[in-house]
């Protein structure tokens, strides 16, 4: 049927249940489990195992999601990074149909003045609309990226307000990065000639600790230095770097391990 998720037991070859597209994460969180034998799902990298229940999208949705039978975690992660202005209803549907089941959205801030200073094309309203368009397309597993410790020249941006607006969108994952000024970049050159003032170390500390308090209070686990996620929504992509898992890089500017 059009836009329906069908759960198959690979051991029995039978259909266990059906559900509309986009409901799989919620069903997994409510305790949907399988009783099949564990099987290897990925040849390389960390051990990825699950029972014989695989969620297969039919009709318009050709993606499939494998969940760990004990934790409900998504095991096969097809993640892309996008800016809010890249997202549109038809684009999000094409991503989903191509197999994307996770999107990392480069929001950076919900303060329009700070976004202008960072030369971002989108504004706060566009970022919030992008989240809705992804969800409407059936992509529930999304992450919001934010930048903290901006210099004073970025304007009177409230980091606490940014955190509140991010949490209000109820994302299953949030990544937070302190602004780093690199030499030989426009920002580095501006710093060298006194055009900007780098945020002091205590600002980094205050912003980081404030984020920890807000995110954990919202139910997101601080599972890695820069990353917060719900228990079943930790990013396998991010975790692979920390475990030094080999990965292939394809395309201009890509690198690999």
């Amino acid at each position: 049927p059009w836009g329906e998720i069908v759960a198959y037991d690979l051991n029995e070859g039978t259909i266990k249940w059906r559900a509309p597209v986009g409901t799989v994460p919620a069903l997994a969180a409510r305790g949907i489990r399988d009783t099949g034998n564990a099987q290897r799902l990925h040849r390389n990298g960390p051990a990825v195992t699950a029972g014989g229940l695989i969620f297969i999208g039919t009709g318009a949705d050709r993606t499939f999601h494998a969940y760990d039978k004990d934790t409900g975690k998504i095991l096969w992660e097809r993640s892309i990074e996008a800016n809010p202005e890249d997202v549109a209803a038809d684009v999000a549907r094409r991503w989903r149909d191509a197999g994307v089941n996770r999107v990392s959205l480069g929001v950076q801030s919900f303060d329009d003045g700070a976004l202008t200073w960072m030369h971002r094309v989108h504004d706060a309203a566009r970022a919030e609309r992008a989240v809705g368009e992804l969800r409407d397309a059936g992509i529930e597993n999304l992450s919001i990226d934010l930048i903290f410790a901006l210099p004073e020249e970025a304007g009177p941006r409230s980091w606490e307000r940014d955190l509140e607006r991010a949490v209000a969108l109820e994302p299953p994952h949030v990544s937070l990065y302190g602004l780093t000024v690199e030499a030989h970049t426009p920002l580095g050159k501006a710093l060298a000639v006194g055009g900007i003032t780098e945020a002091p170390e205590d600002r980094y500390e205050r912003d980081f600790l404030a984020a920890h308090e807000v995110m954990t209070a919202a139910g997101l686990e601080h599972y890695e230095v820069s990353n917060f996620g719900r228990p079943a929504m930790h990013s396998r992509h991010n975790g692979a770097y920390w475990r030094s898992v080999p990965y292939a890089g394809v395309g201009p500017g890509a690198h690999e391990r």
Side-chain angles (χ1 to χ4, degrees):
W2 187 268
E4 186 178 42
I5 296 291
V6 179
Y8 291 95
D9 188 311
L10 298 184
N11 296 309
E12 298 178 4
T14 58
I15 295 175
K16 291 297 185 182
W17 51 264
R18 301 172 184 268
V21 168
T23 61
V24 173
L27 289 168
R30 291 212 307 265
I32 299 298
R33 299 291 183 264
D34 75 281
T35 57
N37 295 321
Q39 59 179 308
R40 197 65 174 248
L41 295 180
H42 201 289
R43 185 178 60 178
N44 300 313
V48 182
T49 60
L53 193 60
I54 294 182
F55 301 89
I56 303 174
T58 61
D61 182 23
R62 295 181 176 85
T63 69
F64 58 94
H65 311 282
Y67 288 85
D68 184 279
K69 65 177 183 178
D70 296 317
T71 66
K73 282 185 179 180
I74 293 176
L75 297 177
W76 294 347
E77 181 180 290
R78 299 176 183 84
S79 181
I80 66 170
E81 292 185 339
N83 293 319
E85 66 271 19
D86 299 328
V87 181
D90 61 328
V91 172
R93 287 193 296 270
R94 289 200 297 270
W95 288 344
R96 180 204 64 195
D97 292 347
V100 171
N101 61 6
R102 183 179 186 275
V103 174
S104 178
L105 198 62
V107 174
Q108 316 309 352
S109 177
F110 290 97
D111 183 282
D112 289 345
L115 290 169
T116 298
W117 180 84
M118 288 187 278
H119 301 285
R120 308 298 296 191
V121 175
H122 68 276
D123 58 14
R126 184 68 191 89
E128 291 172 340
R129 191 161 69 251
V131 171
E133 289 167 337
L134 290 169
R135 285 176 168 154
D136 289 344
I139 302 176
E140 297 284 349
N141 188 7
L142 57 91
S143 179
I144 290 176
D145 289 3
L146 296 177
I147 295 178
F148 65 89
L150 296 181
E152 297 299 328
E153 289 77 9
R157 173 248 204 157
S158 168
W159 175 234
E160 289 73 16
R161 178 60 179 154
D162 267 1
L163 295 172
E164 291 171 0
R165 292 187 70 171
V167 166
L169 293 172
E170 299 183 342
H173 193 281
V174 176
S175 294
L176 308 174
Y177 303 102
L179 180 67
T180 302
V181 180
E182 301 287 351
H184 311 301
T185 65
L187 198 58
K189 294 175 182 178
L191 179 65
V193 299
I196 64 166
T197 304
E198 194 169 8
E201 191 69 24
D202 62 341
R203 267 279 310 286
Y204 266 75
E205 180 181 355
R206 288 199 306 271
D207 285 0
F208 184 82
L209 293 177
H212 173 83
E213 291 182 5
V214 172
M215 294 298 157
T216 54
L220 301 178
E221 296 178 344
H222 197 173
Y223 71 95
E224 185 268 332
V225 176
S226 299
N227 293 285
F228 300 79
R230 301 203 182 282
M233 295 294 184
H234 295 183
S235 172
R236 295 183 55 76
H237 176 81
N238 292 342
Y241 296 138
W242 284 93
R243 294 192 300 274
S244 297
V245 173
Y247 57 89
V250 180
H255 66 281
E256 63 185 41
R257 187 197 303 275

